[in-house]
Amino acid sequence: MSEKEDLAKQKAEAAAKAKAVALARKQAKEEAAEKPEGEMDIAKQKAAAAAKAKAAALAKKQAKAAALVRKQAKEETAEKPEGEMDIAKQKAAAAAKAKAAALTKKQAKAETAEKSEGEMDIAKQKAAAAAKAKAAALARKQAKEETAEKPEGEMDIAKQKAAAAAKAKAAALARKQAKAEAAEKPEGEMDIAKQKAAAAAKAKAAAAAKNRTAVQESEEVDTPSEISPNQSKLDQIVSAIESHVGQGALLENYINRLSKDVPTLVANPDTYFSIAKFLRYDEQLDFSYLSELHGSDFESHMEIYVHLHSFKMNQSVALKVKLDRDTPVIPSLVPLWSGANWPECEAYDLLGINFYEHPDLKRILLGEDWKGYPLRKDYEPYDVEV
């Protein structure tokens, strides 16, 4: 048998051994899949050792084959002339390089196959962690750059918006919790809670009304030292009333600095209609136009405010009267000024002030069956849910 045939047999044997090694690895993997975790580690170690031994044997055989090839090449070269020797050397060198490269690749694959699956997973996890870290660092860098580009005003606005959103969420959560708690309370407790809330609201309204009354009274009493240009007209009107109606007809009079220095007359309830009639029909005064009439609840009393104007005097005057809050009754001014019709109906509708001798006193905003008077400070809706 020639040396070439021996080389071919060796190559065939090497190929068969490689297939056997691959088949052994495959079987080892299949068996490992069926074994528990402890046996898997031992099996992997045995498979790795066997693979290394086979790879070492294969390397030795390949080295022998390479040595045989070099020997044959030397013998053939000795028989060839010099020109053919150079070509043969170049071919032999190229073939040797190719075989060496193939052997290196094969060894690298064998080493990779020897690595356990755990090491491969760890390598993948490290790579993924490194990628995440790079992405996070890049995101932080971009955020810093965007923040550096925004002016200070925009930064403050963004903070305010975030704070407002947080407050809104907290308020919504509080309302939701309150609803949930209310749903859990029995009906009796709910009624008590409503009564407490209504009582608290009344107390606040009463305190606010007292403050307004105190401020108003202080403003009315505290008159500045400078004499008003309407003071002489007020004196003229007061003198005429006292002469024709009586000395005790007016409780007080003053210049209202908060209302364009309008002369203000506070009438006694018994003389209210008489004073109004005198202002309407006196030839010197002639307050023929009623521009306003409304009622107010001061908790301690009710009050009617009437604003009149005299085109002859080119002057306005305010007429006020204080009424008992429990039984607010006063004569109607409709017989003197027809413009008092609807304002008196409104005061009756919303405050419950009764104007006797009114031609058609009725509720004009609410129905006749409505319970209570909404502009009173102590008003309680008949149906609290409305």
Side-chain angles (χ1 to χ4, degrees):
M1 184 180 293
S2 64
E3 291 180 357
K4 289 183 180 181
E5 290 177 354
D6 292 338
L7 182 59
K9 283 183 180 181
Q10 290 172 2
K11 287 182 179 179
E13 290 175 0
K17 287 180 181 178
K19 287 182 181 179
V21 171
L23 181 60
R25 287 201 199 98
K26 185 175 180 182
Q27 289 175 349
K29 286 183 181 179
E30 291 175 354
E31 292 174 358
E34 297 174 357
K35 291 180 181 179
E37 188 175 356
E39 295 180 4
M40 285 287 287
D41 295 336
I42 296 170
K44 286 181 180 179
Q45 293 173 3
K46 289 181 179 180
K52 286 182 180 179
K54 289 180 180 180
L58 180 62
K60 288 180 181 178
K61 287 183 178 181
Q62 289 175 348
K64 289 181 180 179
L68 182 59
V69 169
R70 285 195 295 273
K71 184 177 178 182
Q72 289 177 352
K74 285 180 180 180
E75 292 174 354
E76 291 176 358
T77 301
E79 298 173 357
K80 291 180 180 179
E82 188 175 355
E84 293 180 3
M85 285 287 287
D86 295 335
I87 295 169
K89 285 181 180 178
Q90 292 173 1
K91 288 181 179 181
K97 286 181 181 180
K99 287 182 180 179
L103 181 60
T104 301
K105 288 179 182 177
K106 191 171 183 180
Q107 288 176 348
K109 286 182 181 179
E111 291 175 0
T112 302
E114 290 172 3
K115 286 186 179 179
S116 64
E117 293 181 7
E119 292 179 359
M120 290 293 288
D121 293 337
I122 293 170
K124 287 181 181 179
Q125 291 174 2
K126 288 182 178 179
K132 286 182 181 179
K134 288 182 180 179
L138 181 60
R140 287 195 294 271
K141 186 177 180 182
Q142 290 176 347
K144 287 182 180 179
E145 292 176 354
E146 291 176 359
T147 303
E149 292 174 359
K150 287 184 179 179
E152 188 175 355
E154 293 183 5
M155 289 290 288
D156 294 337
I157 292 170
K159 288 181 180 178
Q160 292 173 1
K161 287 182 178 179
K167 287 181 181 178
K169 287 182 179 179
L173 181 60
R175 286 195 294 271
K176 188 175 180 181
Q177 289 176 347
K179 286 182 180 179
E181 292 175 0
E184 294 174 358
K185 290 182 180 178
E187 187 174 356
E189 294 183 6
M190 288 292 287
D191 294 337
I192 294 170
K194 286 181 180 179
Q195 291 173 4
K196 288 182 180 179
K202 285 181 186 178
K204 288 183 181 179
K210 287 180 181 178
N211 291 335
R212 287 196 298 270
T213 304
V215 170
Q216 184 174 5
E217 290 177 354
S218 65
E219 288 173 346
E220 291 176 353
V221 173
D222 186 16
T223 56
S225 58
E226 183 181 352
I227 298 175
S228 169
N230 293 330
Q231 185 64 48
S232 60
K233 292 183 179 179
L234 174 62
D235 295 340
Q236 177 188 349
I237 296 169
V238 170
S239 177
I241 291 172
E242 290 178 346
S243 298
H244 293 81
V245 181
Q247 289 293 326
L250 292 173
L251 297 178
E252 63 176 315
N253 62 85
Y254 56 88
I255 296 294
N256 190 346
R257 296 284 185 174
L258 300 178
S259 182
K260 299 181 180 179
D261 280 14
V262 62
T264 303
L265 309 171
V266 181
N268 189 311
D270 296 333
T271 59
Y272 167 71
F273 185 80
S274 300
I275 293 172
K277 185 176 181 180
F278 176 74
L279 294 173
R280 171 68 179 85
Y281 292 113
D282 182 76
E283 293 182 357
Q284 300 299 323
L285 303 179
D286 192 21
F287 286 94
S288 59
Y289 178 60
L290 184 148
S291 61
E292 182 181 354
L293 185 152
H294 68 261
S296 299
D297 180 11
F298 288 94
E299 292 192 310
S300 59
H301 64 278
M302 292 284 187
E303 187 174 281
I304 295 294
Y305 177 93
V306 183
H307 195 274
L308 305 171
H309 185 77
S310 171
F311 294 99
K312 181 180 285 188
M313 294 180 65
N314 192 24
Q315 179 61 43
S316 295
V317 69
L319 176 63
K320 296 169 66 174
V321 61
K322 296 180 181 181
L323 307 175
D324 179 42
R325 193 172 184 278
D326 295 329
T327 56
V329 180
I330 199 72
S332 172
L333 297 183
V334 174
L336 304 177
W337 294 277
S338 60
N341 187 344
W342 283 91
E344 288 183 351
C345 287
E346 183 181 40
Y348 166 72
D349 189 8
L350 301 178
L351 289 164
I353 299 174
N354 189 7
F355 297 88
Y356 64 86
E357 295 186 2
H358 187 285
D360 187 21
L361 191 63
K362 60 184 178 180
R363 306 193 86 149
I364 58 175
L365 299 175
L366 306 173
E368 290 296 336
D369 58 345
W370 188 274
K371 299 183 183 299
Y373 305 99
L375 288 188
R376 286 198 176 207
K377 296 297 193 300
D378 58 352
Y379 171 70
E380 291 186 11
Y382 176 71
D383 185 354
V384 295
E385 299 299 330
V386 175

